[in-house]
């Protein structure tokens, strides 16, 4: 799959993977030091071989992004 | 509301707002030049006064973030 | 952050927090006795200090709300 | 379909339906005067015959509910 | 509830239920051998009595479906 | 991007694309005649060149899949 409708595909490096019995919490560091946290299944974290230092992407559908303001 | 369970709250500046009759597509530029696109209702875009140059946040729940790999 | 594009921000009181190793199930009681259940990360439940009796809000993006009919 | 895994199924009455060419914004009033706004497709709003006064349910998966705090 | 705005309601048979302390991973096999995996709360999996062989539906809101291309 | 954490990646053929000013409703037919409907931005539908007959994938995160029962 070379293209995806998701509007937000951001390159980064996995910083931490914290696995539970079903879910996993994955932190990815984007350029500029921005960190994003993701909740995926443990099965996906293992299938993709996610661990600290692995290059990866955060992928986010536009309908899932909210906007806040001060 | 001073705190939110959403794990990803990223500061940036609105770059573009494209409104339809119900929905709106909002582009926000984070530090380091990273851009995120959001789909929200037009009513929210207007209530928050979103337009180019406004300081804002992209807010994303961790369950909405996927991870990709090359 | 004083404003959020999410259309649904509902005031209530935390009724129960059930934590697993990664996720947490949080029940919030709105006025009129309506209860909502949320799945967030355990880290967020702890960062916000969620426990029975705490005043809180349920926050829901309009794109996540479905409509049913009898 | 008599049962649904979605944890939040809230009875109410449709208060307003605002249709665009593809999407529709539906406001439902729950008991106690709580209002929820939903974004669904126009096709669904028409298939369900949603209009002011129709009894309906707001249906929300727990993974879509965030928690905020003052 | 006899009708739901969710555009995708697909009949199948539960193939596997894997429960953690809070979440559960449910695999459902649709006709033609297509499998879908769902993450729901353990409480919902138990309330619906989900286990191998049970007839069920996968229900997906259109805003949650992305499109990919080779 | 060769791998994606999303648990559900289903091959099919685009059957219909219905574009509005911001959003687009895309119907994809999977093998066995199963149809899925997706709401994405018009910009994504155009960037991917989606139109009737194009081979594509429906991509769905497990946390977005609910389970129903009769």
């Amino acid at each position: 799959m070379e293209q995806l409708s998701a509007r937000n595909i951001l390159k980064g490096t996995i910083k931490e993977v914290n696995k539970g019995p079903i879910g996993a919490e994955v932190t990815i560091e984007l350029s500029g030091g921005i960190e994003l946290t993701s909740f995926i299944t443990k099965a996906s974290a293992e299938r993709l071989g996610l661990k600290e230092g692995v290059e990866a992407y955060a992928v986010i559908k536009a309908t899932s992004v909210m906007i806040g303001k001060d």
Side-chain angles (χ1 to χ4, degrees), chain A:
Chain A
M1 206 169 57
E2 289 179 7
Q3 286 182 290
L4 191 59
S5 64
R7 295 293 294 272
N8 305 295
I9 301 182
L10 308 169
K11 202 172 176 61
T13 305
I14 300 299
K15 196 171 163 183
E16 190 178 358
V17 178
N18 189 8
K19 292 178 196 169
I22 306 289
E25 190 180 40
V26 178
T27 307
I28 181 168
E29 186 173 336
L30 310 180
S31 65
I34 294 171
E35 281 186 22
L36 281 172
T37 299
S38 163
F39 177 89
I40 60 176
T41 57
K42 184 183 69 165
S44 282
E46 294 183 343
R47 177 170 45 90
L48 269 66
L50 301 181
K51 58 180 180 180
E52 197 192 329
V54 169
E55 296 202 353
Y57 298 88
V59 178
I60 308 157
K61 197 175 188 307
T63 46
S64 297
V65 180
M66 288 160 282
I67 302 291
K69 246 187 72 175
D70 274 330

